[in-house]
Amino acid sequence: IRVQQRWVFAVMGFLALFNAYTMRVCLSMAITEMTVPINKTEKHERVCEIETTESSDKVIASSDLYEWDESTQGIILSSFYWGYVISHIPGGLMADKFGGKYSLGLGILSTAIFTLLTPLAVDAGGSTALIVLRVLMGLGEGTTFPALNAMLAQWTPPEERSKIGSLVFAGAQLGNVFTSTISGLILHYSPIGWPAVFYVFGAIGVLWFIVWTAICYNNPSEHPFISEAEKKFLHERMSEHTHAKPPPAPWRSVFTSVPVWALIMAQIGHDWGFFTMVTDLPKYMSSVLGFSIKSNGYLSSLPYLCMWFFSIFSSCIADWVITAGYMSTTSVRKIGTTIASIGPAIFIVGASYAGCDKYTVVAMFTIGMTLMGAFYPGMKVNALDLSPNYSGSLMAIVNGMGALTGIITPIIVGELAPDSTNEQWRLVFWIVFGVFVVTNLIFVMYASGEVQPWNDPEFVLNQRARRKGVEAGMEKERYSAC
């Protein structure tokens, strides 16, 4: 039985995001053990009881601790996104022109190398060196989503788009699950302390790159192992809207497209909520709820595990209702995005009113993040709907603008919750609520699941010919007037 290569790509794409997020997020866990604990000021009385059931097998690590306040930690955690935002557009252009294989692969490899160097950098230059290194990591990882989207456009037929897309993008959730759980165990048992976290995840990233370069290719026509039957199937199902070498992206049409701006707003809403949780949930579990590092690892991973299960379930339902003709692609994308916006908005705010009832808080975070899984058959695959030919560049714009929230949210947490009290965090979660609701409303009003006219190469070429004709006519009129 021959393995279908589009599913090999899907699994390796899943592992690409899995590794990208382990290396991106591991600092969020490690920083709770890298820093001297905050002394709560006396004016804040409602501090949850610190967990004292830490088992006696916890190893006393030899690693150093640093006196970084909440504001400094916020800047450190946001610095990754400074570089991440910058490399999105170049990454998308490279992926559309040359294919996503090496745009993605080399980006992950560079991130892995910088992850391995993190303990040395912190030891040599403290917080400043760590910020610089995180910016460099972001530059490498900024190519990830544009390159994956460019390859998804070449490998996923329309009727499998929700399933394959959701499988690939689910690597982000399971990367968070793995990072939170394994980091908690490493920080609990490792004799060298927090540096071990970076060594483990950096090494896994290098291993992934070796396998990726050996078995994955930009598109079916380049693949030496694909069966003729699968190549023919993919060509027949995708030739109408996907072209191997389309003309350069029609930027004017892209930036004046209402569905594109609706998608950008939905991405901003998703990333604001998701990055707040990814970056700062371990700190909330530790500083506010008082969980030990081992419990923190397990409980911080639970919401992402449930989110992954729900993303797969909702993706199967989405593909079924589209294929059976029960609902249009546009309706499915809007419903999925609404479930993934309003549900988390309600439960995340609700968690802040549960006080120090630790397991009620965890349950509400888990339910909220579970519902966020509907983003994946919702707005996450919408760029592929709008423009298969320019999906890499389109994802670069959409994901790049959404990633700006990764810069903002850790800084907001550092400024609004300097003492890490529940009351301070409640305001943070209300801001998340407002962003979710507003961005979802815009997406529901203006989004589309249909291929846009500017995806068609003939449309693009004709538009450019008309523009040149107009310019030539104007030039001729100027000469006639003279």
Side-chain angles (χ1 to χ4, degrees):
I1 299 175
R2 295 197 69 139
V3 177
Q4 293 181 327
Q5 294 302 318
R6 65 185 182 276
W7 290 101
V8 173
F9 157 69
V11 171
M12 290 303 296
F14 163 87
L15 291 174
L17 275 183
F18 181 94
N19 280 289
Y21 269 76
T22 61
M23 293 182 289
R24 180 191 306 191
V25 175
C26 64
L27 179 62
S28 297
M29 285 293 295
I31 203 167
T32 63
E33 296 293 297
M34 293 170 69
T35 55
V36 177
I38 297 171
N39 289 321
K40 301 282 202 295
T41 59
E42 292 181 5
K43 64 179 179 178
H44 299 292
E45 298 176 358
R46 294 189 61 186
V47 178
C48 301
E49 183 180 348
I50 297 174
E51 188 173 76
T52 56
T53 57
E54 186 80 63
S55 55
S56 59
D57 58 351
K58 186 180 190 303
V59 174
I60 304 301
S62 59
S63 51
D64 294 330
L65 294 179
Y66 300 89
E67 293 188 359
W68 299 334
D69 60 21
E70 283 292 310
S71 181
T72 301
Q73 291 180 46
I75 293 171
I76 290 170
L77 291 171
S78 76
S79 59
F80 172 92
Y81 297 96
W82 305 352
Y84 185 69
V85 169
I86 292 171
S87 58
H88 262 70
I89 299 295
L93 294 173
M94 285 170 48
D96 280 341
K97 187 169 185 177
F98 303 110
K101 177 176 179 176
Y102 286 105
S103 300
L104 174 63
L106 293 174
I108 299 289
L109 177 63
S110 66
T111 305
I113 292 170
F114 290 132
T115 301
L116 289 168
L117 293 175
T118 298
L120 293 175
V122 175
D123 183 58
S127 61
T128 302
L130 179 56
I131 289 169
V132 171
L133 198 67
R134 294 289 290 182
V135 172
L136 294 174
M137 287 176 64
L139 284 169
E141 206 169 296
T143 64
T144 302
F145 278 100
L148 275 175
N149 236 44
M151 294 185 72
L152 281 166
Q154 298 293 329
W155 284 100
T156 56
E159 64 267 30
E160 296 176 355
R161 190 164 290 158
S162 293
K163 284 196 291 287
I164 293 179
S166 294
L167 171 60
V168 170
F169 293 133
Q173 296 121 48
L174 287 191
N176 284 319
V177 171
F178 187 77
T179 307
S180 299
T181 303
I182 300 302
S183 294
L185 293 173
I186 292 172
L187 292 167
H188 184 85
Y189 291 111
S190 173
I192 66 170
W194 58 263
V197 171
F198 300 99
Y199 296 144
V200 168
F201 294 124
I204 294 173
V206 173
L207 178 62
W208 171 88
F209 173 77
I210 295 170
V211 178
W212 170 259
T213 54
I215 67 174
C216 289
Y217 294 81
N218 287 319
N219 54 58
S221 62
E222 293 182 12
H223 206 299
F225 310 125
I226 191 172
S227 68
E228 286 300 319
E230 185 180 11
K231 186 186 291 186
K232 181 180 178 183
F233 167 75
L234 291 173
H235 177 74
E236 289 175 350
R237 296 299 300 126
M238 300 169 64
S239 59
E240 181 181 357
H241 296 301
T242 304
H243 302 80
K245 294 189 179 296
W251 293 114
R252 182 178 299 181
S253 297
V254 171
F255 282 112
T256 55
S257 172
V258 173
V260 168
W261 282 103
L263 178 57
I264 288 171
M265 294 307 297
Q267 184 73 45
I268 289 171
H270 167 271
D271 285 357
W272 192 288
F274 189 66
F275 289 155
T276 298
M277 300 304 289
V278 165
T279 307
D280 294 300
L281 183 59
K283 288 172 61 181
Y284 186 85
M285 293 285 195
S286 173
S287 300
V288 178
L289 298 181
F291 282 112
S292 67
I293 188 60
K294 191 175 180 182
S295 298
N296 191 348
Y298 291 135
L299 295 173
S300 293
S301 70
L302 182 60
Y304 305 108
L305 182 62
C306 295
M307 184 180 176
W308 174 69
F309 281 122
F310 190 67
S311 71
I312 298 300
F313 170 75
S314 57
S315 299
C316 293
I317 297 297
D319 275 343
W320 173 67
V321 297
I322 291 171
T323 304
Y326 295 129
M327 203 173 290
S328 69
T329 302
T330 300
S331 297
V332 169
R333 303 300 181 231
K334 290 181 178 181
I335 291 171
T337 303
T338 299
I339 293 171
S341 299
I342 305 304
I346 293 170
F347 281 99
I348 288 172
V349 167
S352 69
Y353 287 93
C356 291
D357 188 347
K358 297 182 180 182
Y359 293 100
T360 299
V361 172
V362 170
M364 297 191 83
F365 278 141
T366 300
I367 295 170
M369 293 298 287
T370 297
L371 295 174
M372 204 182 285
F375 266 125
Y376 290 83
M379 50 73 61
K380 271 294 185 182
V381 294
N382 190 222
L384 292 169
D385 299 324
L386 299 179
S387 179
N389 281 327
Y390 304 107
S391 57
S393 296
L394 186 55
M395 177 58 92
I397 296 166
V398 173
N399 210 65
M401 294 186 76
L404 288 170
T405 64
I407 298 173
I408 298 168
T409 53
I411 295 174
I412 286 178
V413 170
E415 294 300 320
L416 295 183
D419 301 294
S420 278
T421 66
N422 194 44
E423 290 82 0
Q424 292 172 346
W425 273 88
R426 186 175 296 146
L427 178 57
V428 172
F429 293 142
W430 269 113
I431 293 173
V432 172
F433 180 95
V435 172
F436 265 140
V437 171
V438 171
T439 55
N440 181 70
L441 180 61
I442 295 171
F443 187 79
V444 169
M445 291 173 64
Y446 300 112
S448 173
E450 305 304 318
V451 176
Q452 298 300 292
W454 41 267
N455 176 73
D456 186 351
E458 288 188 15
F459 174 91
V460 176
L461 294 173
N462 289 338
Q463 191 180 56
R464 286 178 180 156
R466 284 196 302 271
R467 194 176 302 131
K468 287 181 180 178
V470 170
E471 290 172 357
M474 292 173 65
E475 190 72 16
K476 187 175 180 181
E477 285 179 10
R478 280 199 296 269
Y479 279 116
S480 298
C482 295

